[in-house]
Amino acid sequence: MNEPKTFIEPLAGYLLDVFAKLRNRVFVPHSLTKLHNLKTCRDLTKATTVIEIGSFKGVTTKRLARLFSKVISVEIDDDLHAQAKKRCASCANVELILGDGSKVLSDIVSRVKNAVLYLDGHYSGGVTGQGDEPEPVLKELEGVTAYLDNFNAIVIDDFRLFGVEQGWPKKYEVMEKLEAIFSAEIWNISILNDQFLIYRIKH
């Protein structure tokens, strides 16, 4: 997520998204719209922890700290990790990890409960970090298969770009991976404002 220059900037973007939705127009959602989706997942599933892959500069990370009791965020780039640490220094409930999400995720998910997994660790140009591949979502999903009981929801960001951006898996490949992982479970699946949401409602 880009670093907002003023408080008004993200709010204005969110209001534009709302206006586009009311008029049934296609739009690329702003950061606060995506944050609202994560809040919806929290409310539906009673999740208390969120794991964010792709801290970037910590903007979303800090916002998530207001929504969840525990935030664990992973960033592959040294400089971006340092910026995220500085931004989130006052957030006692945030744990920032320097590393490749596709490689450290299985260790993280083994120690959480009631979590939302937010997969946003892809290369987006500019100063964003990149590991072995520009969009590692298939490896990331493979890494959490053994720990599905620890999750209440999984959110895959920027779903419109799968099969479009060079080096990204195609949408059907992501769907096939999800079907293989969740074949024995009943989860709710939806695409909401450019994010792929998989969640189960806890009663």
Side-chain angles (χ1 to χ4, degrees), residues 138 141-142 172-182:
L138 298 181
L141 290 171
E142 190 68 36
Y172 80 84
E173 293 178 293
V174 179
M175 297 289 288
E176 286 179 349
K177 174 63 72 174
L178 291 170
E179 185 175 3
I181 291 173
F182 297 109

Side-chain angles (χ1 to χ4, degrees), residues 53-54 74-77 97-108 121 129-133 135-137 139-140:
I53 304 300
V74 180
E75 174 54 53
I76 196 171
D77 182 83
I97 296 173
L98 176 63
D100 185 332
S102 65
K103 297 176 181 177
V104 303
L105 188 54
S106 57
D107 291 330
I108 296 171
Q130 180 180 331
D132 297 335
E133 49 191 290
E135 174 46 81
V137 69
K139 287 183 180 178
E140 292 167 344

Side-chain angles (χ1 to χ4, degrees), residues 14 20 32 37 42 65 76 82 95 101 127-128 130 134 137 144 146 161 163 173 176 189-190 203:
Y14 178 74
L32 291 187
N37 292 347
R42 181 205 67 180
I76 196 171
E95 176 184 351
V127 299
T128 57
Q130 180 180 331
V137 69
V144 304
L161 298 178
E173 293 178 293
E176 286 179 349
I189 298 177
S190 63
H203 300 286

Side-chain angles (χ1 to χ4, degrees), residues 8-25:
I8 299 298
E9 184 181 333
L11 181 60
Y14 178 74
L15 292 175
L16 288 173
D17 285 358
V18 171
F19 182 72
K21 287 177 69 174
L22 289 173
R23 302 201 54 183
N24 291 318
R25 291 182 175 175

Side-chain angles (χ1 to χ4, degrees), residues 38 47-55 60-61 64 68 70-75 93 95 97 101-102 104-121 140 143-144 147 150-156:
L38 291 165
T48 56
T49 297
V50 61
I51 302 170
E52 176 192 37
I53 304 300
S55 313
T60 298
T61 314
L64 289 171
F68 292 87
K70 177 69 176 178
V71 179
I72 302 172
S73 186
V74 180
E75 174 54 53
N93 61 332
E95 176 184 351
I97 296 173
S102 65
V104 303
L105 188 54
S106 57
D107 291 330
I108 296 171
V109 299
S110 65
R111 60 183 172 90
V112 300
K113 296 289 184 184
N114 297 322
V116 172
L117 175 60
Y118 179 39
L119 299 177
D120 189 25
E140 292 167 344
V144 304
Y147 302 99
N150 297 359
F151 290 101
N152 298 4
I154 297 175
V155 179
I156 302 172

